[in-house]
Amino acid sequence: MSDTHANQRGSVTRLQPVAAPPIDEHTASMIDLLQEHLRLAREGKLRSLAVVSVSADGSAIGTQWSCDSGDMASLIGKLTVLTHDLMAARK
């Protein structure tokens, strides 16, 4: 093994296991979803991502995104469809 590989291997930070499991199944589902997207981003399989978050008490809604400029219109269209689906499911 070359010195370069040895140095790279030494710089890897080990992840620590989570001491307490998520509070409930809903929280665990959100964490699983985020972890899946993190994995895809690390593997270079994502170029755009949009996130809508709602605070636990429902008083705050936030939107965040990171997208390729060519994806903006398509991403807005997908979010519009999602909005309509969510509103229809609420009835």
Side-chain angles (χ1 to χ4, degrees), residues 27-74:
T27 303
S29 174
M30 286 190 290
I31 292 169
D32 287 345
L33 178 73
L34 291 169
Q35 287 178 335
E36 175 65 13
H37 282 81
L38 284 171
R39 182 186 65 76
L40 292 169
R42 285 187 183 114
E43 293 173 358
K45 294 181 179 177
L46 294 180
R47 70 178 188 198
S48 296
L49 178 69
V51 177
V52 177
S53 356
V54 180
S55 64
D57 64 2
S59 66
I61 298 174
T63 57
Q64 302 82 31
W65 61 89
S66 174
C67 70
D68 184 90
S69 58
D71 290 344
M72 183 67 77
S74 178

Side-chain angles (χ1 to χ4, degrees), residues 8-16:
Q8 287 175 346
R9 192 174 271 190
S11 67
V12 173
T13 302
R14 299 271 181 218
L15 298 177
Q16 299 297 319

Side-chain angles (χ1 to χ4, degrees), residues 1-11:
M1 179 181 347
S2 71
D3 288 339
T4 303
H5 285 79
N7 289 340
Q8 287 175 346
R9 192 174 271 190
S11 67

